[in-house]
Structures are given as structure tokens and as C-alpha cells.
Amino acid sequence: MTLFIDKRILIFDENVFMGNLLQSIISAFGVGQLTVCRKWDEAKFYIKEIKYDCIFCDWSNWPDAELECLNYVRSSGQANDPTTPVIIISGNTALQNVLACRDMGCTEIVLKPISPVHVFDKLYAALFNPREFIVLENYTGPDRRRKKGNYAGFDRRSEVSLGQSDIDRLLGGEDVES
């Protein structure tokens, strides 16, 4: 597959098993250059020094170093390119966590257990169907609206764990039914 041959991707995952799994999946897509970091200091160095086409961060604990990673890319003024797509990998899909991630400017979220199909779909969307990038005083990241139209809203106070399709709709500005 040559679709991603000219792409440079960084994976930040402190868990060796998950990092290796994600690396294997992304490598199978034919990515040109893949950097894998296990430590936050290493990831921060690369994010500052090198322009990546996409960054994958595993978010196993809320909040954790990966939250710092997303904030560093979007808001620190130190990242090589704050508009770089950031894809979060997580098994924790409580609504308030997904909203926090979205509000910090993540591009996509892939639900664990990960599958090659979901990783491919999110990587493809981030690279080849990017949303307009927004820089405001209190938000930096992709436009949260994938579909333009009226927002019906949802109850943000409910304690709901979301599935992958719910997360996709939420990131796209659509209503998520509880």
C-alpha cells in the first residue's frame, strides 16, 4: 500500500505491548517514517524538533502524560506544528473524558481494543479529509463540526460509556443518544 508512503507518524505509548501492536498495524499501512516513543521526554523532543503528519497517543489513564501530550501539541507554543492531527487511543470512553479530549483539540479517538480497520479509518480521515483548523483564545484544534447544521445537544451530565460509533458522532458534532 503506497497511500501513506510519504507520511511521518509518531506513536507515544508508554505500554510496550500496545505500542508494538499499534506500530505493527501502522507499519502494515506502508507508512514512510514511523517514530515510537515510550517516554514523555523523548516524545516531547521529537514533537518539538520534527514536523509529523500525525501523532498517536495512548490515553490509558485520565489524566496522564498523554493528556500532557495533546496539550503540548496544541497549546504550548513549543510543538513544531500545533495543527498536526492527534489521534487518541483509549479504552476509557466515559462521556466526560471524551468531551475533555475533544475540547483539548484531539482530531480522532480510537476505542480499545483497537482494530486495523478503525486505525486506518481514523488515520485516513485525519490525513486526507482534515477539518478546518481553529485557533481561538480558549480552543485550538480541528473544527468540531463534521456536519454543518443545527446542534440538537445532549445531556452532558449523564454517566455513559460510549461505543466507537458514538464517539465518531460526538466528535462530528452530532447528538449522542444515552
Side-chain angles (χ1 to χ4, degrees):
M1 182 179 302
T2 60
L3 192 60
F4 301 111
I5 194 71
D6 63 337
K7 302 302 178 193
R8 180 181 289 160
I9 295 176
L10 180 129
I11 297 171
F12 172 45
D13 195 328
E14 294 172 332
N15 181 293
V16 174
F17 174 76
M18 282 304 298
N20 288 344
L21 178 61
L22 188 56
Q23 180 181 8
S24 295
I25 290 171
I26 294 173
S27 292
F29 301 153
V31 168
Q33 186 176 356
L34 190 56
T35 304
V36 180
C37 300
R38 303 276 185 246
K39 303 286 184 201
W40 170 233
D41 288 340
E42 180 185 20
K44 190 163 47 170
F45 170 80
Y46 283 115
I47 292 167
K48 183 176 182 177
E49 297 297 323
I50 298 172
K51 181 177 180 356
Y52 287 94
D53 295 295
C54 189
I55 297 171
F56 281 84
C57 294
D58 179 73
W59 201 341
S60 297
N61 301 304
W62 300 74
D64 195 18
E66 289 75 25
L67 178 63
E68 187 177 352
C69 178
L70 181 57
N71 188 51
Y72 184 80
V73 172
R74 294 291 184 244
S75 304
S76 72
Q78 304 263 336
N80 186 289
D81 182 4
T83 67
T84 302
V86 178
I87 299 174
I88 300 295
I89 308 292
S90 181
N92 188 341
T93 59
L95 179 59
Q96 70 272 13
N97 295 334
V98 173
L99 291 173
C101 191
R102 179 201 67 184
D103 292 346
M104 288 190 66
C106 82
T107 307
E108 300 285 351
I109 299 174
V110 177
L111 176 63
K112 286 182 182 178
I114 62 173
S115 75
V117 170
H118 285 135
V119 173
F120 180 90
D121 288 347
K122 300 307 177 190
L123 181 59
Y124 186 90
L127 296 177
F128 299 110
N129 295 319
R131 291 174 276 150
E132 181 180 350
F133 199 82
I134 308 290
V135 178
L136 301 171
E137 185 176 318
N138 60 352
Y139 175 76
T140 301
D143 188 342
R144 297 187 299 204
R145 297 166 294 178
R146 293 176 200 233
K147 281 184 158 182
K148 306 297 182 201
N150 293 336
Y151 175 69
F154 59 90
D155 182 2
R156 291 179 181 233
R157 295 170 290 207
S158 63
E159 294 290 327
V160 177
S161 288
L162 305 174
Q164 185 67 56
S165 61
D166 292 330
I167 291 170
D168 293 345
R169 286 195 307 273
L170 179 66
L171 290 176
E174 295 179 39
D175 190 22
V176 177
E177 295 179 14
S178 302

